[in-house]
Amino acid sequence: MLFFWPQMSLAIASILDFIIGDPWDWPHPVQLMGKLIHQGTEFIFKFCHSPQSQRWAGVILGLTVIGLTALVSDRIIRLAMALHPLLGIGIESILLASCFAGRSLHNAALDVLKPLQAGDLDTARQKLSLYVGRDTDNLDEAEILRALLETIAENAIDGVTAPLFYAILGSLIPGLGPLPLAMGYKAASTLDSMIGYRELPYLYMGWFSAKLEDLLTWLPCRLTAIALGLLSGQFKKVWALCQRDAIHDPSPNSGWSECVYAAILGVQLGGVNTYRGRIKIKPPLGDPIYPITPSSIHQALTLTRSCFLVWLAVGIALGLLLSQF
């Protein structure tokens, strides 16, 4: 059983995420990461005042948070395994499930769709504001659906396939297991979401976290685009549209993640968004063959789930194969 524990943890974690997800009122490792990052930023703001000092302090903060997260995760599992293998697998499965956001993404989408389809735009806007950074007060139905599809597409990478990629990678490394790398990626993603802004006051302190998250997400993002293109049966079309449009997005990853869904669904994403009253124009992604509808949202969720399951099956199969040598 010890030979197969990484694969068992992956399988159990995926089941837990599918059934339970991340209830908002439950404790979550990201909360601890957030507290550590918050304390670090307060220290930096207090003692580091020049751009250069904030840059270097941001590097130290990022490496410290990610390193500690991976190290503590590894030590917890090793201690639990030493007490009993089943205890170790159980704890690892629970912690690993917290890295996956498949169920949470699905629930968030339905949380917005339900009032929207009932004609309650005010409630739909309010629900959407919990999940997106843009201003939602004046969005009409079409813009609500576009915002929802864009956040599903972007979070499918950050919250689903990228953590799974690093969990699988860790499971293939003898003696490591899936949790430390998945948790390390989750820490990098949390750093980016909290301080990885290209504006003050985080401009200098957060540059390292933003760049590192982009780097860590680059490969899982492209692999997801390839997998989704193959799953859709439209690989050549999807890849061509991503090469045409995604490269114009200022983000090296979100343009690809949104464009692949737009290409498969035959819709267009991007356009005019407002953030805290400031207008930001994103390049168009995909062709507007069809309007975005609630059915588009459900198709996007199905694509994400299918990609996750295929990756999971491949990762477990590879782990079992390599364990024979």
Side-chain angles (χ1 to χ4, degrees):
M1 183 173 63
L2 284 176
F3 289 110
F4 304 144
W5 67 262
Q7 289 70 46
M8 292 179 65
S9 296
L10 278 169
I12 296 171
S14 66
I15 294 171
L16 290 175
D17 177 63
F18 180 77
I19 296 175
I20 302 174
D22 289 325
W24 284 37
D25 55 345
W26 287 22
H28 196 285
V30 168
Q31 295 172 341
L32 296 177
M33 298 176 198
K35 289 180 180 179
L36 182 59
I37 295 167
H38 178 69
Q39 291 175 354
T41 56
E42 285 191 333
F43 180 88
I44 292 171
F45 284 140
K46 184 176 181 180
F47 295 102
C48 302
H49 304 293
S50 69
Q52 185 176 14
S53 64
Q54 289 193 0
R55 280 178 178 271
W56 282 110
V59 172
I60 295 172
L61 174 63
L63 293 177
T64 300
V65 172
I66 294 170
L68 276 177
T69 300
L71 180 62
V72 170
S73 300
D74 180 68
R75 293 306 169 191
I76 288 175
I77 300 309
R78 289 184 185 277
L79 175 60
M81 283 288 185
L83 294 174
H84 196 284
L86 289 180
L87 177 63
I89 292 171
I91 293 176
E92 183 168 56
S93 299
I94 293 170
L95 292 175
L96 192 58
S98 72
C99 296
F100 305 145
R103 169 57 65 179
S104 298
L105 194 59
H106 182 272
N107 291 344
L110 298 186
D111 198 32
V112 177
L113 279 182
K114 186 175 180 180
L116 183 66
Q117 292 182 287
D120 187 354
L121 286 181
D122 287 337
T123 300
R125 292 179 186 123
Q126 186 272 327
K127 295 289 187 180
L128 180 65
S129 69
L130 299 175
Y131 308 110
V132 301
R134 73 192 69 181
D135 300 336
T136 64
D137 292 344
N138 298 311
L139 298 184
D140 59 18
E141 181 176 352
E143 286 297 294
I144 291 173
L145 287 168
R146 177 171 73 87
L148 185 56
L149 184 53
E150 287 176 352
T151 196
I152 288 172
E154 187 170 353
N155 284 283
I157 310 297
D158 297 344
V160 181
T161 58
L164 178 60
F165 171 83
Y166 284 104
I168 291 173
L169 182 61
S171 73
L172 300 179
I173 298 175
L176 181 61
L179 187 64
L181 293 188
M183 276 292 182
Y185 176 79
K186 201 71 176 179
S189 180
T190 304
L191 279 158
D192 180 58
S193 65
M194 290 183 65
I195 64 173
Y197 298 102
R198 295 179 175 87
E199 58 187 34
L200 293 173
Y202 300 109
L203 178 62
Y204 304 110
M205 179 178 59
W207 74 274
F208 176 78
S209 295
K211 293 294 184 183
L212 181 60
E213 198 275 342
D214 285 344
L215 179 64
L216 293 175
T217 306
W218 192 93
L219 181 57
C221 181
R222 271 67 181 174
L223 292 176
T224 301
I226 292 171
L228 288 174
L230 292 172
L231 285 170
S232 71
Q234 310 173 59
F235 177 76
K236 289 185 178 180
K237 169 194 167 184
V238 169
W239 194 253
L241 280 174
C242 286
Q243 289 185 313
R244 185 193 75 183
D245 294 345
I247 59 175
H248 299 297
D249 193 279
S251 168
N253 296 312
S254 65
W256 278 81
S257 61
E258 292 177 20
C259 193
V260 66
Y261 282 87
I264 293 172
L265 299 174
V267 302
Q268 188 172 78
L269 300 178
V272 179
N273 300 327
T274 304
Y275 298 87
R276 296 186 294 277
R278 292 192 296 178
I279 294 176
K280 181 178 181 180
I281 301 176
K282 294 192 66 177
L285 302 170
D287 296 322
I289 301 171
Y290 306 109
I292 302 173
T293 65
S295 178
S296 307
I297 304 301
H298 287 291
Q299 290 177 59
L301 293 172
T302 299
L303 283 167
T304 304
R305 185 63 184 168
S306 299
C307 185
F308 180 90
L309 290 174
V310 168
W311 281 28
L312 179 67
V314 171
I316 289 177
L318 279 174
L320 292 176
L321 180 63
L322 292 176
S323 67
Q324 303 303 312
F325 297 98

